[in-house]
Amino acid sequence: MQALFIIWFGLMHPFYVSVTEIKHNPKTQAVEISCRMFYDDLEHALEKDNKVALDIVKPKDKAQLNRFINEYVKKHLSIRADGKVLNLSYLGYEIQEDGAWAYFEVKGISSVKKIDIHDDLLNALHPEQINMLHVTIGGNRKSTKLDAPDADTSFSF
């Protein structure tokens, strides 16, 4: 299944797609967030925002790149759980195939009944951007897609 996803995702470029996974982990009482974007698109967005040349695959200054990714995602992805704004803690990023995965976590969340999401990742870079969202709470997975300029959605569990 993952191989098919990678092939599908790879074939989609030059279409512009990101995938954000949001999962509540009741054991650790945390919300875990991962965002996958084509690394070249993320690189261009970071270069545009920070007015610097970057190499996301082989960065000259990894700490600076981590700061840029953290700031960019937090600026373009906001999540509310049961009305409370979640303060995303950046864990890092990795490159897989042609994608960059950025990882975040929010601790101290014992349960979630409703998630409100604002996701305009890469919308400013590509007016035809599609942002896919998958939210898993209590083993129940719900998904949607946001076609730019749409950036807001909610899930109830």
Side-chain angles (χ1 to χ4, degrees):
M1 180 69 177
Q2 180 143 354
L4 283 175
F5 177 76
I6 291 170
I7 291 168
W8 175 82
F9 209 80
L11 291 175
M12 290 300 292
H13 214 48
F15 296 100
Y16 303 102
V17 179
S18 80
V19 178
T20 298
E21 295 267 354
I22 302 168
K23 295 178 183 177
H24 178 254
N25 185 332
K27 289 182 183 175
T28 61
Q29 295 193 359
V31 174
E32 302 162 347
I33 301 107
S34 57
C35 303
R36 185 188 195 282
M37 296 163 271
F38 286 106
Y39 73 75
D40 59 332
D41 292 339
L42 178 59
E43 188 175 85
H44 291 138
L46 296 175
E47 288 175 336
K48 185 177 176 185
D49 280 6
N50 297 286
K51 299 175 183 19
V52 296
L54 296 170
D55 184 341
I56 199 168
V57 177
K58 296 180 183 176
K60 291 179 184 175
D61 185 343
K62 185 131 184 187
Q64 178 190 54
L65 182 57
N66 274 309
R67 189 174 69 254
F68 289 163
I69 292 171
N70 179 33
E71 290 169 356
Y72 180 80
V73 173
K74 285 182 178 179
K75 181 178 175 183
H76 295 281
L77 177 68
S78 60
I79 304 168
R80 290 179 168 267
D82 299 327
K84 177 185 171 195
V85 174
L86 299 185
N87 183 16
L88 307 182
S89 294
Y90 180 67
L91 302 175
Y93 83 96
E94 68 178 332
I95 302 296
Q96 289 183 0
E97 305 285 330
D98 57 356
W101 283 96
Y103 301 103
F104 296 84
E105 179 181 62
V106 181
K107 294 183 178 181
I109 308 295
S110 58
S111 67
V112 178
K113 300 216 182 304
K114 184 176 183 204
I115 294 264
D116 300 300
I117 304 163
H118 175 85
D119 178 353
D120 66 357
L121 292 166
L122 304 172
N123 283 8
L125 192 64
H126 302 295
E128 62 277 18
Q129 179 71 29
I130 297 168
N131 292 322
M132 301 292 299
L133 294 158
H134 305 294
V135 179
T136 305
I137 308 289
N140 187 9
R141 179 179 162 127
K142 296 184 179 183
S143 301
T144 195
K145 77 179 180 79
L146 298 170
D147 298 313
D150 293 338
D152 298 299
T153 192
S154 296
F155 296 92
S156 295
F157 293 88

